[in-house]
Amino acid sequence: GENVEQHPSTLSVQEGDSAVIKCTYSDSASNYFPWYKQELGKRPQLIIDIRSNVGEKKDQRIAVTLNKTAKHFSLHITETQPEDSAVYFCAAVPSGSARQLTFGSGTQLTVLP
Amino acid sequence: DSGVTQTPKHLITATGQRVTLRCSPRSGDLSVYWYQQSLDQGLQFLIQYYNGEERAKGNILERFSAQQFPDLHSELNLSSLELGDSALYFCASSVGLAGNTDTQYFGPGTRLTVL
């Protein structure tokens, strides 16, 4: 089955700086890669996603890049703000009708004011 | 608010007991997924239903079972509970199974504590 590795596990940045979180996946057949943000005790919230036919996607301060050859994808947050502090999870979804998410282990992002 | 509802919000029970967690998907969503989040195992997929039929199984214990009803709500049944079953249980839903219809939206979760 799919295996997703995520790095780093913790990340501290100064407000206004950029943050980058990286994930690798094992199943070359995976074709959908969402990113979720989770605040303590709350539900995971989708912040951006990318499909395998696209190399990059941007939504305001958040961008995701996908390298299918290397089987890795990254989340980029620019101009970080204290409210960006949370745990971020990457995930991969296999092709086919079983669309379950395989999550990475999460990155605790802390934005220091 | 994602539109996915889960009840109860909190559940405290004893080892050996049985509980039922309930999930109502977003209006129009046919697919329901259950995930378990624990400190040592992270977010793990348990089971998926689509329009009443089981579609995929993950690391779901034999003591656990689920179903999706004709009105599309889903229930996750956990029996012979053990201390290690204490976790946050999330339900997610999506419209369908492929392309732009498979984006999953999560409910608020049920926090299960087994004493």
Side-chain angles (χ1 to χ4, degrees):
Chain A
E2 177 64 276
N3 182 51
V4 177
E5 295 195 357
Q6 182 172 347
H7 299 281
S9 56
T10 61
L11 179 60
S12 292
V13 299
Q14 289 294 138
E15 182 177 358
D17 287 350
S18 295
V20 180
I21 303 171
K22 298 182 179 182
C23 290
T24 59
Y25 60 98
S26 61
D27 186 354
S28 57
S30 290
N31 63 2
Y32 174 55
F33 306 92
W35 286 86
Y36 285 86
K37 174 184 179 181
Q38 187 180 30
E39 296 174 359
L40 191 61
K42 305 287 187 184
R43 64 185 173 92
Q45 288 186 277
L46 179 72
I47 56 171
I48 196 167
D49 56 11
I50 192 167
R51 298 191 184 270
S52 59
N53 57 349
V54 175
E56 185 172 355
K57 184 176 178 181
K58 191 173 181 181
D59 182 4
Q60 298 183 344
R61 297 186 296 110
I62 295 173
V64 57
T65 58
L66 171 64
N67 183 327
K68 285 189 295 182
T69 304
K71 290 190 284 187
H72 68 69
F73 56 114
S74 300
L75 177 71
H76 304 252
I77 306 174
T78 59
E79 300 172 18
T80 53
Q81 301 166 4
E83 52 265 38
D84 294 329
S85 296
V87 179
Y88 291 80
F89 291 94
C90 62
V93 177
S95 60
S97 62
R99 307 300 293 164
Q100 73 271 21
L101 296 164
T102 298
F103 285 94
S105 53
T107 296
Q108 173 70 62
L109 173 65
T110 303
V111 179
L112 304 169
Chain B
D1 184 4
S2 65
V4 181
T5 61
Q6 288 186 249
T7 56
K9 194 170 182 178
H10 300 281
L11 201 46
I12 302 174
T13 189
T15 54
Q17 295 298 304
R18 173 190 168 93
V19 296
T20 297
L21 313 183
R22 182 188 169 106
C23 167
S24 292
R26 297 185 319 157
S27 177
D29 284 3
L30 299 177
S31 201
V32 169
Y33 309 77
W34 286 96
Y35 295 89
Q36 180 193 57
Q37 186 172 33
S38 59
L39 282 173
D40 55 343
Q41 296 290 327
L43 265 166
Q44 286 207 313
F45 167 70
L46 295 178
I47 197 163
Q48 174 195 0
Y49 280 84
Y50 176 76
N51 204 20
E53 292 190 7
E54 183 183 303
R55 184 64 68 157
K57 256 185 176 178
N59 298 320
I60 187 166
L61 300 171
E62 285 192 12
R63 300 183 286 107
F64 296 1
S65 65
Q67 54 184 325
Q68 186 179 27
F69 295 85
D71 67 352
L72 301 177
H73 90 272
S74 178
E75 293 181 357
L76 179 67
N77 301 294
L78 315 176
S79 62
S80 303
L81 285 167
E82 302 176 358
L83 296 177
D85 298 327
S86 296
L88 257 176
Y89 291 84
F90 288 105
C91 165
S93 73
S94 67
V95 173
L97 297 176
N100 294 330
T101 67
D102 61 356
T103 301
Q104 294 183 34
Y105 297 91
F106 281 72
T110 293
R111 181 171 293 281
L112 174 66
T113 302
V114 182
L115 301 175

